Amino acid sequence: MKKLLLTLIFPSMLCAQVGIGTTNPLSDLHIAGDTSTIRIESLNAVNDPANNDGIKPSPAYVTALGDVTLDPNIGNGIGTGGNLSPINFLMTIPNFIPDGATNKGSIINNTTLETNKTGLFSIVPFTSPQAALIEVKYSVTTILSSTDLNTVMTPFNDISTRAIKYYFSIDLNNDGLDAVESSKKYGLNGQFYSSHSQGILGYSFTNGHGYTNIPPGNHSLHFFAEIVDGETKFTSVGIGGYSDTLKIRIYN
C-alpha cells in the first residue's frame, strides 16, 4: 500500500514545475537563457500561410481559453467570429527631430527666389497590430534667422512678417507617401513672426494635435514645415534644435 501511494504522489511532484536550461524553475514552465526561444510549428508560414506570410513577423493573440493563435478572428478558443481585445497604448518619443550637424535641428531655407517653401523634417515609423484610431501630439521648437543657420545666426531687422506652419501626413504601409496620402495634412498649426529693427534670436514652441483611422500594419508619420515670407526675403528655420516631443496613442 505504501508503494502505491508513493507511485501516485511522486509524478505530481515532478510535474509541478518544468525547467528548460535550469534546474530551479520558478514558473510552471521556465525556459532559461538570454537567447532562449519558443517554436510552435503549427503557426509557421508552411502550416498557417493565411496568417503568416513568412516575410514579416505575425502578431500572436491569446484566446479566452489561453490558446495562442495567429488568427485574430478566433475570439473564444472554440470557433471563429470573436473580436479582438481593445488596444490602448502610448508611445512617447523625445527628440524625434534630428539635431543636425550644427545642433539647430532640421534646417529649411526659404530663399530670396521663393515666397513659399515646404520641407520634410522628420519621419517616424510605427506599427499598429490591428485597425485602430491613432492620435498624434507633437511639440517642436523653432528658431529663425535672416541668414543660413548652417553657417551663422542673424536676427531680422527688415520689419517684415514670416509664417511657419507644421503638419504631418501618414504613410500607410510605410512604402512612401503617394498623392492621396500627401494631400491629407493632420495636426496643422503654426506661428507668425513679426520682426523689428531690434529683433533678437530665440526659440518658440509650436504644439500640434491630429488623429485619424488606420489599418493594421507598418506605417510612418512624415512631418513637414511650410515657410511663407515676402518677396526677396530670406528666411532660415531650424526645427527641433532645442527640444521636441512626440506622443502617439493607438486605440480602438
Side-chain angles (χ1 to χ4, degrees), residues 207-225:
N207 300 308
H209 176 217
Y211 57 90
T212 188
N213 291 306
I214 57 172
N218 299 317
H219 316 296
S220 58
L221 303 176
H222 291 233
F223 288 86
F224 293 91

Side-chain angles (χ1 to χ4, degrees), residues 9-45:
I9 294 173
F10 190 65
S12 65
M13 294 172 61
L14 285 178
C15 296
Q17 291 179 321
V18 177
I20 300 176
T22 178
T23 59
N24 183 31
L26 302 178
S27 298
D28 293 341
L29 175 61
H30 183 172
I31 303 176
D34 56 7
T35 60
S36 59
T37 59
I38 298 175
R39 175 172 297 182
I40 304 174
E41 292 191 352
S42 64
L43 303 182
N44 65 22

Side-chain angles (χ1 to χ4, degrees), residues 4-248:
L4 178 59
L5 288 174
L6 289 174
T7 303
L8 293 174
I9 294 173
F10 190 65
S12 65
M13 294 172 61
L14 285 178
C15 296
Q17 291 179 321
V18 177
I20 300 176
T22 178
T23 59
N24 183 31
L26 302 178
S27 298
D28 293 341
L29 175 61
H30 183 172
I31 303 176
D34 56 7
T35 60
S36 59
T37 59
I38 298 175
R39 175 172 297 182
I40 304 174
E41 292 191 352
S42 64
L43 303 182
N44 65 22
V46 174
N47 296 312
D48 192 2
N51 298 301
N52 187 342
D53 62 9
I55 300 174
K56 57 181 181 295
S58 301
Y61 306 93
V62 179
T63 70
L65 298 180
D67 298 331
V68 179
T69 176
L70 300 183
D71 186 356
N73 294 314
I74 302 296
N76 54 16
I78 300 174
T80 60
N83 296 317
L84 291 177
S85 299
I87 57 174
N88 186 348
F89 61 87
L90 176 67
M91 294 176 282
T92 300
I93 308 173
N95 197 34
F96 74 100
I97 305 170
D99 290 334
T102 59
N103 290 321
K104 299 182 181 72
S106 180
I107 298 173
I108 301 175
N109 291 325
N110 195 13
T111 69
T112 56
L113 302 177
E114 51 197 345
T115 59
N116 189 295
K117 180 68 171 288
T118 299
L120 174 71
F121 63 84
S122 185
I123 299 177
V124 179
F126 68 96
T127 299
S128 178
Q130 64 187 77
L133 178 70
I134 180 174
E135 180 183 19
V136 177
K137 294 183 178 181
Y138 65 86
S139 176
V140 300
T141 55
T142 306
I143 190 167
L144 288 82
S145 172
S146 61
T147 54
D148 188 351
L149 284 167
N150 289 296
T151 56
V152 62
M153 294 189 295
T154 309
F156 293 97
N157 58 11
D158 55 5
I159 313 179
S160 182
T161 301
R162 275 88 173 165
I164 301 94
K165 295 182 285 185
Y166 296 109
Y167 65 89
F168 64 90
S169 297
I170 301 179
D171 178 6
L172 301 177
N173 299 322
N174 198 26
D175 57 358
L177 286 173
D178 58 31
V180 175
E181 293 167 342
S182 297
S183 67
K184 298 178 180 179
K185 302 177 181 181
Y186 302 98
L188 181 62
N189 202 357
Q191 294 191 19
F192 291 95
Y193 179 89
S194 181
S195 62
H196 200 269
S197 58
Q198 67 266 32
I200 61 175
L201 292 168
Y203 289 97
S204 64
F205 282 85
T206 302
N207 300 308
H209 176 217
Y211 57 90
T212 188
N213 291 306
I214 57 172
N218 299 317
H219 316 296
S220 58
L221 303 176
H222 291 233
F223 288 86
F224 293 91
E226 182 179 357
I227 307 166
V228 181
D229 60 12
E231 294 183 358
T232 71
K233 303 297 182 181
F234 185 96
T235 305
S236 184
V237 178
I239 306 162
Y242 179 70
S243 177
D244 50 271
T245 303
L246 173 64
K247 294 186 176 182
I248 305 173

